[in-house]
Amino acid sequence: MTKNLTRTAAVLTLVGVPTGLALTGGLGPTVLVSTLAGALALMVSAVRRWPLAVLILTFSTVAAWRMAHLIEAGWVWPATAALVALTLAGRLRTAVIASGFMLVWGLNWDTFVYPHTGNWVLAHLGGEALWVATALAGATAYRNTLRWRAEVAGRLELEVHRRRAEERVAIARDLHDVVSHTLAVVGVHLNVALDAFDAEPEEARESLRLAQQVRGRAMTDLKALVGVLREGELPALEGLDRLLDQVREAGLEVSFNEFGDPVPVPAPVAAAVYRVVQESLTNTVRHAGAGRVVVTIRYAPDSVLVDVQDNGTGGAGMSDGHGIAGMRERVAALGGALTAGPGRTGFTVRASIPITE
């Protein structure tokens, strides 16, 4: 349970307890009800560290107030926040057993110790049972969603590593092909130059010039390939569609927009674009709690603009992470700039990367 959820649960408890008592007809003196609501909210604020202890203390407090007739309704529902916290901590069975115990206790108390009519008991305890079942089901669904998103984020990282390995093998083959081809072509031109050196010096000179051109192009290709091997980049944007599909499997609504005419993008720039999108989506899946994310790529003759915006609430914990810092360093190394932070509706990552030879 995150800090934001804990604060929200504490506030809802502070407001919800008096409201619930008023709706169920169990409202006692204002001072007592306010004291109970404040005490329960204070307990909930510690639920992240001690969920079971908070649940036991909350149940005990509510039961004591009911049996002392300080409030006239409510056995389980005032402890909803503690039950939800325990469920989110992976202890659903404990939450169900505790709820069942309190409902049975309340049934015995309201039926035999201080009897109420059958309709009153059915309305109050039946309503509590339905409320608690709904709360626990919602908490379980939310926890499963978080676990699924974390699993998808892990799959994204594994996919990146797999693609890196495949790309490095392909680049190794390219290195072999470039070197073999270059040596063969340069060897042919050198042989021609050697044969024509005395009889046809112009032809020899032309062969040497062509050999030098082939050598220059080969050096450029080798430099780019070796740089990719060193950095472990993925110099292709074709993999974005597959990346977006994997994020959609996590339950996120993903929109992808491209503007401008796609231009030939050098390998380092393509790799940086891919990394910005991949890392941003991974952060969204893991931390943002978002339901929708929009990925936009704008092409210009001399630059590429990448924009990733979600509608989540996890921006405060995302802006200082290592992933953001790594993206910023990667983009800066290419002469670009990256900004990341909370936007109007969520978290936004925006990078501008110049296209250079």
Side-chain angles (χ1 to χ4, degrees), residues 40 43 54-64 75-80 82-83 94-95 97-102:
L40 295 180
M43 296 176 196
V54 169
L55 178 63
I56 294 174
L57 188 59
T58 301
F59 273 158
S60 301
T61 302
V62 173
W75 288 102
V76 184
W77 67 259
T80 299
L83 289 168
T94 303
I97 293 174
S99 301
F101 173 79
M102 284 299 294

mmCIF file of all heavy atoms in Angstrom, residues 40 43 54-64 75-80 82-83 94-95 97-102:
data_model
loop_
_atom_site.group_PDB
_atom_site.id
_atom_site.type_symbol
_atom_site.label_atom_id
_atom_site.label_comp_id
_atom_site.label_asym_id
_atom_site.label_seq_id
_atom_site.Cartn_x
_atom_site.Cartn_y
_atom_site.Cartn_z
ATOM 1 N N LEU A 40 -9.490 5.930 14.582
ATOM 2 C CA LEU A 40 -9.401 4.948 13.501
ATOM 3 C C LEU A 40 -8.541 5.460 12.352
ATOM 4 O O LEU A 40 -7.759 4.705 11.757
ATOM 5 C CB LEU A 40 -10.805 4.586 13.006
ATOM 6 C CG LEU A 40 -11.723 3.865 13.998
ATOM 7 C CD1 LEU A 40 -13.069 3.568 13.364
ATOM 8 C CD2 LEU A 40 -11.074 2.575 14.507
ATOM 9 N N MET A 43 -4.956 5.136 13.315
ATOM 10 C CA MET A 43 -4.502 3.747 13.177
ATOM 11 C C MET A 43 -4.218 3.406 11.713
ATOM 12 O O MET A 43 -3.220 2.754 11.396
ATOM 13 C CB MET A 43 -5.567 2.797 13.731
ATOM 14 C CG MET A 43 -5.821 2.933 15.217
ATOM 15 S SD MET A 43 -7.163 1.841 15.736
ATOM 16 C CE MET A 43 -7.565 2.539 17.331
ATOM 17 N N VAL A 54 -2.889 -3.290 13.024
ATOM 18 C CA VAL A 54 -3.882 -2.222 12.871
ATOM 19 C C VAL A 54 -5.279 -2.811 12.753
ATOM 20 O O VAL A 54 -6.244 -2.282 13.326
ATOM 21 C CB VAL A 54 -3.531 -1.351 11.647
ATOM 22 C CG1 VAL A 54 -4.684 -0.401 11.309
ATOM 23 C CG2 VAL A 54 -2.257 -0.549 11.913
ATOM 24 N N LEU A 55 -5.402 -3.905 12.005
ATOM 25 C CA LEU A 55 -6.717 -4.535 11.862
ATOM 26 C C LEU A 55 -7.244 -5.011 13.212
ATOM 27 O O LEU A 55 -8.404 -4.763 13.559
ATOM 28 C CB LEU A 55 -6.621 -5.705 10.885
ATOM 29 C CG LEU A 55 -7.919 -6.492 10.673
ATOM 30 C CD1 LEU A 55 -8.985 -5.608 10.072
ATOM 31 C CD2 LEU A 55 -7.671 -7.705 9.794
ATOM 32 N N ILE A 56 -6.409 -5.691 13.990
ATOM 33 C CA ILE A 56 -6.835 -6.191 15.306
ATOM 34 C C ILE A 56 -7.214 -5.032 16.222
ATOM 35 O O ILE A 56 -8.258 -5.062 16.904
ATOM 36 C CB ILE A 56 -5.713 -7.036 15.940
ATOM 37 C CG1 ILE A 56 -5.481 -8.312 15.121
ATOM 38 C CG2 ILE A 56 -6.048 -7.374 17.391
ATOM 39 C CD1 ILE A 56 -4.297 -9.134 15.586
ATOM 40 N N LEU A 57 -6.381 -3.991 16.233
ATOM 41 C CA LEU A 57 -6.656 -2.842 17.096
ATOM 42 C C LEU A 57 -7.935 -2.126 16.665
ATOM 43 O O LEU A 57 -8.739 -1.690 17.506
ATOM 44 C CB LEU A 57 -5.465 -1.880 17.057
ATOM 45 C CG LEU A 57 -5.495 -0.704 18.042
ATOM 46 C CD1 LEU A 57 -5.584 -1.217 19.478
ATOM 47 C CD2 LEU A 57 -4.253 0.168 17.872
ATOM 48 N N THR A 58 -8.151 -2.026 15.368
ATOM 49 C CA THR A 58 -9.357 -1.371 14.861
ATOM 50 C C THR A 58 -10.598 -2.156 15.236
ATOM 51 O O THR A 58 -11.596 -1.598 15.722
ATOM 52 C CB THR A 58 -9.273 -1.225 13.329
ATOM 53 O OG1 THR A 58 -8.123 -0.461 12.981
ATOM 54 C CG2 THR A 58 -10.509 -0.535 12.786
ATOM 55 N N PHE A 59 -10.570 -3.465 15.003
ATOM 56 C CA PHE A 59 -11.706 -4.313 15.386
ATOM 57 C C PHE A 59 -11.998 -4.206 16.872
ATOM 58 O O PHE A 59 -13.154 -4.091 17.300
ATOM 59 C CB PHE A 59 -11.396 -5.772 15.036
ATOM 60 C CG PHE A 59 -11.764 -6.150 13.633
ATOM 61 C CD1 PHE A 59 -11.165 -7.234 13.018
ATOM 62 C CD2 PHE A 59 -12.723 -5.441 12.927
ATOM 63 C CE1 PHE A 59 -11.511 -7.602 11.733
ATOM 64 C CE2 PHE A 59 -13.070 -5.792 11.642
ATOM 65 C CZ PHE A 59 -12.471 -6.879 11.037
ATOM 66 N N SER A 60 -10.954 -4.254 17.680
ATOM 67 C CA SER A 60 -11.129 -4.199 19.139
ATOM 68 C C SER A 60 -11.750 -2.873 19.556
ATOM 69 O O SER A 60 -12.642 -2.832 20.430
ATOM 70 C CB SER A 60 -9.783 -4.389 19.829
ATOM 71 O OG SER A 60 -9.199 -5.628 19.490
ATOM 72 N N THR A 61 -11.288 -1.783 18.941
ATOM 73 C CA THR A 61 -11.818 -0.465 19.279
ATOM 74 C C THR A 61 -13.290 -0.350 18.924
ATOM 75 O O THR A 61 -14.120 0.108 19.724
ATOM 76 C CB THR A 61 -11.012 0.624 18.548
ATOM 77 O OG1 THR A 61 -9.635 0.520 18.921
ATOM 78 C CG2 THR A 61 -11.535 2.010 18.896
ATOM 79 N N VAL A 62 -13.632 -0.781 17.701
ATOM 80 C CA VAL A 62 -15.032 -0.695 17.267
ATOM 81 C C VAL A 62 -15.915 -1.564 18.155
ATOM 82 O O VAL A 62 -17.006 -1.141 18.591
ATOM 83 C CB VAL A 62 -15.149 -1.115 15.784
ATOM 84 C CG1 VAL A 62 -16.628 -1.193 15.375
ATOM 85 C CG2 VAL A 62 -14.414 -0.138 14.894
ATOM 86 N N ALA A 63 -15.461 -2.783 18.449
ATOM 87 C CA ALA A 63 -16.255 -3.679 19.294
ATOM 88 C C ALA A 63 -16.442 -3.097 20.698
ATOM 89 O O ALA A 63 -17.534 -3.172 21.279
ATOM 90 C CB ALA A 63 -15.567 -5.048 19.378
ATOM 91 N N ALA A 64 -15.398 -2.490 21.243
ATOM 92 C CA ALA A 64 -15.500 -1.895 22.578
ATOM 93 C C ALA A 64 -16.507 -0.753 22.595
ATOM 94 O O ALA A 64 -17.312 -0.641 23.541
ATOM 95 C CB ALA A 64 -14.118 -1.397 23.017
ATOM 96 N N TRP A 75 -20.158 -2.976 13.026
ATOM 97 C CA TRP A 75 -19.205 -3.915 13.613
ATOM 98 C C TRP A 75 -17.942 -4.016 12.736
ATOM 99 O O TRP A 75 -16.829 -3.896 13.221
ATOM 100 C CB TRP A 75 -19.839 -5.313 13.751
ATOM 101 C CG TRP A 75 -20.878 -5.406 14.830
ATOM 102 C CD1 TRP A 75 -22.229 -5.397 14.678
ATOM 103 C CD2 TRP A 75 -20.639 -5.520 16.232
ATOM 104 N NE1 TRP A 75 -22.854 -5.489 15.888
ATOM 105 C CE2 TRP A 75 -21.901 -5.580 16.876
ATOM 106 C CE3 TRP A 75 -19.488 -5.585 17.027
ATOM 107 C CZ2 TRP A 75 -22.051 -5.705 18.246
ATOM 108 C CZ3 TRP A 75 -19.628 -5.716 18.392
ATOM 109 C CH2 TRP A 75 -20.899 -5.759 18.993
ATOM 110 N N VAL A 76 -18.153 -4.244 11.456
ATOM 111 C CA VAL A 76 -17.036 -4.505 10.554
ATOM 112 C C VAL A 76 -16.717 -3.325 9.649
ATOM 113 O O VAL A 76 -15.549 -2.998 9.421
ATOM 114 C CB VAL A 76 -17.324 -5.757 9.688
ATOM 115 C CG1 VAL A 76 -16.117 -6.085 8.805
ATOM 116 C CG2 VAL A 76 -17.666 -6.946 10.560
ATOM 117 N N TRP A 77 -17.752 -2.642 9.144
ATOM 118 C CA TRP A 77 -17.480 -1.633 8.110
ATOM 119 C C TRP A 77 -16.595 -0.478 8.583
ATOM 120 O O TRP A 77 -15.854 0.090 7.761
ATOM 121 C CB TRP A 77 -18.790 -1.107 7.499
ATOM 122 C CG TRP A 77 -19.670 -0.306 8.432
ATOM 123 C CD1 TRP A 77 -20.776 -0.738 9.070
ATOM 124 C CD2 TRP A 77 -19.520 1.064 8.792
ATOM 125 N NE1 TRP A 77 -21.324 0.258 9.833
ATOM 126 C CE2 TRP A 77 -20.578 1.382 9.671
ATOM 127 C CE3 TRP A 77 -18.607 2.055 8.483
ATOM 128 C CZ2 TRP A 77 -20.730 2.649 10.228
ATOM 129 C CZ3 TRP A 77 -18.766 3.325 9.025
ATOM 130 C CH2 TRP A 77 -19.816 3.603 9.896
ATOM 131 N N PRO A 78 -16.586 -0.080 9.879
ATOM 132 C CA PRO A 78 -15.643 0.987 10.259
ATOM 133 C C PRO A 78 -14.176 0.590 10.072
ATOM 134 O O PRO A 78 -13.290 1.449 10.029
ATOM 135 C CB PRO A 78 -15.958 1.240 11.736
ATOM 136 C CG PRO A 78 -17.377 0.789 11.904
ATOM 137 C CD PRO A 78 -17.494 -0.402 11.018
ATOM 138 N N ALA A 79 -13.924 -0.719 9.965
ATOM 139 C CA ALA A 79 -12.549 -1.194 9.775
ATOM 140 C C ALA A 79 -12.251 -1.511 8.309
ATOM 141 O O ALA A 79 -11.309 -2.248 8.005
ATOM 142 C CB ALA A 79 -12.305 -2.438 10.622
ATOM 143 N N THR A 80 -13.022 -0.945 7.394
ATOM 144 C CA THR A 80 -12.854 -1.254 5.974
ATOM 145 C C THR A 80 -11.435 -0.956 5.492
ATOM 146 O O THR A 80 -10.828 -1.744 4.764
ATOM 147 C CB THR A 80 -13.866 -0.453 5.134
ATOM 148 O OG1 THR A 80 -15.192 -0.812 5.531
ATOM 149 C CG2 THR A 80 -13.684 -0.740 3.655
ATOM 150 N N ALA A 82 -8.601 -0.931 7.103
ATOM 151 C CA ALA A 82 -7.646 -1.920 7.585
ATOM 152 C C ALA A 82 -7.795 -3.241 6.834
ATOM 153 O O ALA A 82 -6.809 -3.912 6.514
ATOM 154 C CB ALA A 82 -7.838 -2.143 9.085
ATOM 155 N N LEU A 83 -9.044 -3.629 6.534
ATOM 156 C CA LEU A 83 -9.272 -4.856 5.779
ATOM 157 C C LEU A 83 -8.691 -4.760 4.371
ATOM 158 O O LEU A 83 -8.061 -5.694 3.870
ATOM 159 C CB LEU A 83 -10.769 -5.148 5.705
ATOM 160 C CG LEU A 83 -11.439 -5.603 7.009
ATOM 161 C CD1 LEU A 83 -12.947 -5.581 6.864
ATOM 162 C CD2 LEU A 83 -10.949 -6.993 7.395
ATOM 163 N N THR A 94 -6.690 -13.917 5.827
ATOM 164 C CA THR A 94 -6.781 -13.355 7.178
ATOM 165 C C THR A 94 -7.892 -12.325 7.265
ATOM 166 O O THR A 94 -8.645 -12.270 8.256
ATOM 167 C CB THR A 94 -5.434 -12.715 7.570
ATOM 168 O OG1 THR A 94 -4.410 -13.693 7.480
ATOM 169 C CG2 THR A 94 -5.483 -12.159 8.981
ATOM 170 N N ALA A 95 -8.003 -11.471 6.233
ATOM 171 C CA ALA A 95 -9.048 -10.448 6.230
ATOM 172 C C ALA A 95 -10.435 -11.081 6.220
ATOM 173 O O ALA A 95 -11.353 -10.616 6.921
ATOM 174 C CB ALA A 95 -8.868 -9.534 5.021
ATOM 175 N N ILE A 97 -11.280 -14.144 7.336
ATOM 176 C CA ILE A 97 -11.525 -14.782 8.640
ATOM 177 C C ILE A 97 -11.873 -13.743 9.704
ATOM 178 O O ILE A 97 -12.809 -13.914 10.503
ATOM 179 C CB ILE A 97 -10.289 -15.601 9.062
ATOM 180 C CG1 ILE A 97 -10.102 -16.790 8.132
ATOM 181 C CG2 ILE A 97 -10.430 -16.070 10.509
ATOM 182 C CD1 ILE A 97 -8.833 -17.578 8.382
ATOM 183 N N ALA A 98 -11.131 -12.631 9.727
ATOM 184 C CA ALA A 98 -11.399 -11.583 10.710
ATOM 185 C C ALA A 98 -12.792 -10.986 10.506
ATOM 186 O O ALA A 98 -13.533 -10.740 11.475
ATOM 187 C CB ALA A 98 -10.331 -10.501 10.608
ATOM 188 N N SER A 99 -13.156 -10.760 9.244
ATOM 189 C CA SER A 99 -14.485 -10.206 8.958
ATOM 190 C C SER A 99 -15.575 -11.165 9.402
ATOM 191 O O SER A 99 -16.583 -10.761 10.019
ATOM 192 C CB SER A 99 -14.615 -9.909 7.458
ATOM 193 O OG SER A 99 -13.635 -8.990 7.034
ATOM 194 N N GLY A 100 -15.392 -12.458 9.086
ATOM 195 C CA GLY A 100 -16.386 -13.447 9.493
ATOM 196 C C GLY A 100 -16.527 -13.523 11.007
ATOM 197 O O GLY A 100 -17.643 -13.624 11.547
ATOM 198 N N PHE A 101 -15.398 -13.457 11.713
ATOM 199 C CA PHE A 101 -15.438 -13.488 13.175
ATOM 200 C C PHE A 101 -16.236 -12.314 13.730
ATOM 201 O O PHE A 101 -17.080 -12.485 14.628
ATOM 202 C CB PHE A 101 -14.015 -13.473 13.727
ATOM 203 C CG PHE A 101 -13.948 -13.328 15.218
ATOM 204 C CD1 PHE A 101 -14.166 -14.414 16.055
ATOM 205 C CD2 PHE A 101 -13.662 -12.093 15.793
ATOM 206 C CE1 PHE A 101 -14.110 -14.277 17.432
ATOM 207 C CE2 PHE A 101 -13.609 -11.951 17.167
ATOM 208 C CZ PHE A 101 -13.837 -13.046 17.990
ATOM 209 N N MET A 102 -15.977 -11.118 13.200
ATOM 210 C CA MET A 102 -16.679 -9.942 13.711
ATOM 211 C C MET A 102 -18.164 -9.975 13.368
ATOM 212 O O MET A 102 -19.009 -9.541 14.162
ATOM 213 C CB MET A 102 -16.031 -8.675 13.142
ATOM 214 C CG MET A 102 -14.709 -8.314 13.796
ATOM 215 S SD MET A 102 -14.890 -7.978 15.577
ATOM 216 C CE MET A 102 -15.880 -6.494 15.559
#
